[in-house]
Amino acid sequence: MHHEYPHLPRWLALVVGRLRLYGRWWVARGWDSPRAWRSIAVGVAALALLLTLFRQPLGNLLWPETRIQQLLDDGQDALRQGRLTAADGSGARELFEAAAALDPDRGDVRDALAATGREALEQAQRQLAAGDVPAARAALDLARQLQVPRAQLDAIAARLHRQAQEPDGIDDLLRRAEAAQAQGRLDDGADSALPLYQRVLAVRPDHLRALQGRDDALSDLLAEAGAAARRNDTQAAAGLLHRVEGYDAGHAELPDARAALNTALDRRRGQAARDLARGRLRQAADGYAQVLAVGEDPAARQGLQRVALAWAGEAARLAGDFHFEQARQALDQARALAPDSPEVAAAAQALQRAQGAHRALETRLPAAERERKVRALLAQVESAAAQGQWLLPPGASAYDRFKAAQALAPRDARVKQAGARILPAARHCLDDNLQGNRLQAARTCLDAWQALAPGDPLLPAARRRLAQRWLAVGSERLGAGDVAFASRALEQARELDAATPELPAFAERLGNARR
């Protein structure tokens, strides 16, 4: 009979069929038959009993949306209470999965399961922070089953593994870290304060005591960096900052420490420039090198190149005056700073030529002949000096005669004494020609001074004065349109003192005029 109602379950089709039979029988027997009324009462009672017993299946069949919503509501209650899963089916996961079984395509059901996975992940983090490894592992497994993104799972799984493998307890690590910090051992080995704090934070990133202890230790390191910067120990300051950044790149005091280091680097760079201007080439090279040891710095790199050029120029001048040992030392310094520089190569060639010329002079003349010539030249030095011809005219001055004698006998005491007499005249000659803007003559005087006393501490300032005078005259001539003279003035100034402060502006102005 139930086949007459194919859309109904079998048990419900039987009930409906039985009611139809009772109805037909009742009609056939008559409306007022007592037996009919008893049958009707029995049927109604049976139907009520069936509806009571099978109310839930009937509701699910006839009104499925209502059942799904109820499951969702119950699941949300369980989620709010933190009951993510339960063996009796009352957990959020089981309730949401039951709703998904009724309608797998519902988006709100999928969202509810995803929210359960996220809550499981957060629960794992909280339990891991509390040190409850088994509970954290269970929550993580639940999150994995609910298909939480792999990257989030892996991060917590790694922390869980580290905490499970940590041989020492968190409290013991903290005690050791704080003891090391009290002793001032901040970052000098695995058993110092900062590495121990890091071990705690690797498994408990939110541990307040570890965070506070690490922050205090890093503040102490930054205080050391500030002290190093103030005494211009830029390498030590930079090293300390680098160590702090390795532990906490967002430390609140890092910006001030970096600013202090930058100020120290500026001071070191400026001092190197002043050393270069004064001819203290070794100190200038050391200063620029210290800046570069902290990090690449274009200004310091250019400064080293200028130092190399100055050493090369020094080597060429010393070679021209037959001071070969000093020339070789200067050339070695230049090569160390700029081995591929054409100026350094030119200085090396000048040294070779000067050495060759000196050997030719020594081998060409017998000793007696050399002595005779040296005496004659020294007499000419005295004669020129008596006439006041210390540096001029070219070829007949006391200085020119001295150089010829020096070429023949550079180590002769009489020759050195003659040079000492000429030196004051060279200094006065430079001043006189600078006052009259006779720049080429002034350069001759300066070169003589340089040859006579290469290590004179007054030379750098004299070179700077002559370079500045070339730029001043060049600026006037450039204003009158004489670009050629201005170009020559720039070359002369650079050759004399590449660190002259007025050089960049004049070079830019000349470049604009050439366009």
Side-chain angles (χ1 to χ4, degrees), residues 22-36:
Y22 276 125
R24 290 173 183 169
W25 179 83
W26 181 38
V27 172
R29 294 287 183 176
W31 293 88
D32 55 351
S33 168
R35 186 176 179 181

Side-chain angles (χ1 to χ4, degrees), residues 92-113:
R93 173 191 179 179
E94 289 77 17
L95 292 168
F96 291 143
E97 286 180 343
L102 292 175
D103 188 353
D105 297 328
R106 283 187 58 141
D108 53 352
V109 174
R110 290 195 301 271
D111 293 342
L113 282 170

Side-chain angles (χ1 to χ4, degrees), residues 312-514:
E314 185 77 0
R317 284 190 293 272
L318 290 168
D321 294 322
F322 301 119
H323 298 301
F324 298 129
E325 183 57 33
Q326 294 171 314
R328 277 191 293 269
Q329 293 175 2
L331 186 60
D332 289 341
Q333 294 290 337
R335 280 177 173 155
L337 297 176
D340 300 324
S341 170
E343 288 82 0
V344 174
Q349 294 172 1
L351 176 58
Q352 290 175 354
R353 287 193 300 268
Q355 287 174 325
H358 187 257
R359 284 192 297 269
L361 284 171
E362 287 185 333
T363 57
R364 192 162 45 232
L365 292 175
E369 180 66 15
R370 185 182 305 110
E371 174 63 18
R372 187 187 67 78
K373 283 187 172 292
V374 168
R375 286 181 178 179
L377 288 169
L378 289 175
Q380 292 171 3
V381 168
E382 292 296 329
S383 175
Q387 300 175 46
Q389 297 175 342
W390 293 100
L391 299 171
L392 297 172
S397 66
Y399 175 66
D400 291 323
R401 301 304 184 187
F402 159 76
K403 288 194 67 175
Q406 188 184 49
L408 289 171
R411 298 175 183 85
D412 193 302
R414 295 167 297 172
V415 174
K416 292 180 179 179
Q417 290 172 1
R421 290 184 60 204
I422 298 172
L423 179 58
R427 292 172 179 158
H428 292 306
C429 172
L430 174 66
D431 292 336
D432 291 342
N433 285 291
L434 276 176
Q435 290 176 4
N437 277 342
R438 295 182 295 273
L439 303 185
Q440 197 59 56
R443 177 61 187 269
T444 301
C445 302
L446 181 65
D447 289 343
W449 182 356
Q450 176 78 39
L452 292 164
D456 192 329
L458 298 176
L459 267 173
R463 300 183 69 83
R464 171 67 59 85
R465 285 165 53 210
L466 182 52
Q468 290 174 327
R469 187 62 59 86
W470 269 109
L471 292 176
V473 176
S475 179
E476 293 177 6
R477 300 287 288 273
L478 183 60
D482 192 345
V483 175
F485 184 90
S487 300
R488 182 177 168 221
L490 180 63
E491 293 173 3
Q492 289 289 329
R494 278 177 172 162
E495 185 178 340
L496 286 162
D497 183 3
T500 302
E502 296 84 355
L503 262 174
F506 183 76
E508 182 179 2
R509 184 181 166 198
L510 178 58
N512 293 333
R514 285 171 174 167

Side-chain angles (χ1 to χ4, degrees), residues 11 35 114 182 211 253 291 429 508:
W11 64 270
R35 186 176 179 181
L211 287 170
E253 297 172 28
V291 174
C429 172
E508 182 179 2

Side-chain angles (χ1 to χ4, degrees), residues 113-329:
L113 282 170
T116 305
R118 290 192 297 272
E119 179 59 29
L121 197 65
E122 293 176 7
Q123 198 173 87
Q125 289 177 311
R126 291 192 297 271
Q127 289 160 344
L128 187 59
D132 191 346
V133 173
R137 184 175 287 114
L140 192 64
D141 289 341
L142 176 60
R144 186 177 289 108
Q145 293 167 18
L146 292 172
Q147 299 181 347
V148 170
R150 179 69 178 271
Q152 300 176 27
L153 284 170
D154 289 347
I156 298 179
R159 286 175 47 201
L160 182 62
H161 177 74
R162 287 195 298 269
Q163 186 158 337
Q165 296 297 318
E166 181 61 62
D168 300 311
I170 296 298
D171 291 339
D172 182 57
L173 287 173
L174 278 173
R175 179 187 59 76
R176 290 162 53 194
E178 289 166 349
Q181 187 172 358
Q183 297 166 12
R185 295 186 294 109
L186 302 180
D187 187 28
D188 53 356
D191 202 41
S192 54
L194 284 165
L196 290 171
Y197 282 132
Q198 285 300 97
R199 287 176 63 182
V200 174
L201 294 171
V203 295
R204 299 275 296 278
D206 299 327
H207 197 289
L208 185 58
R209 272 178 63 194
L211 287 170
Q212 290 176 339
R214 185 185 70 175
D215 190 70
D216 291 342
L218 292 178
S219 293
D220 292 341
L221 279 185
L222 289 173
E224 292 181 23
R230 285 190 293 275
R231 63 175 181 268
N232 287 336
D233 190 351
T234 52
Q235 284 184 269
L240 289 165
L241 258 65
H242 182 71
R243 286 157 61 187
V244 171
E245 288 168 347
Y247 287 108
D248 182 10
H251 194 279
E253 297 172 28
L254 261 175
D256 290 342
R258 289 194 190 100
L261 174 59
N262 289 334
T263 300
L265 289 172
D266 289 341
R267 286 197 302 268
R268 174 65 68 185
R269 200 184 300 109
Q271 183 59 52
R274 289 190 292 274
D275 287 335
L276 175 57
R278 290 171 173 80
R280 298 194 290 262
L281 302 184
R282 294 182 189 276
Q283 295 91 326
D286 288 343
Y288 287 129
Q290 288 176 21
V291 174
L292 289 169
V294 174
E296 185 55 37
D297 186 289
R301 183 69 63 190
Q302 293 172 4
L304 272 185
Q305 292 296 315
R306 292 196 297 270
V307 173
L309 294 179
W311 276 120
E314 185 77 0
R317 284 190 293 272
L318 290 168
D321 294 322
F322 301 119
H323 298 301
F324 298 129
E325 183 57 33
Q326 294 171 314
R328 277 191 293 269
Q329 293 175 2

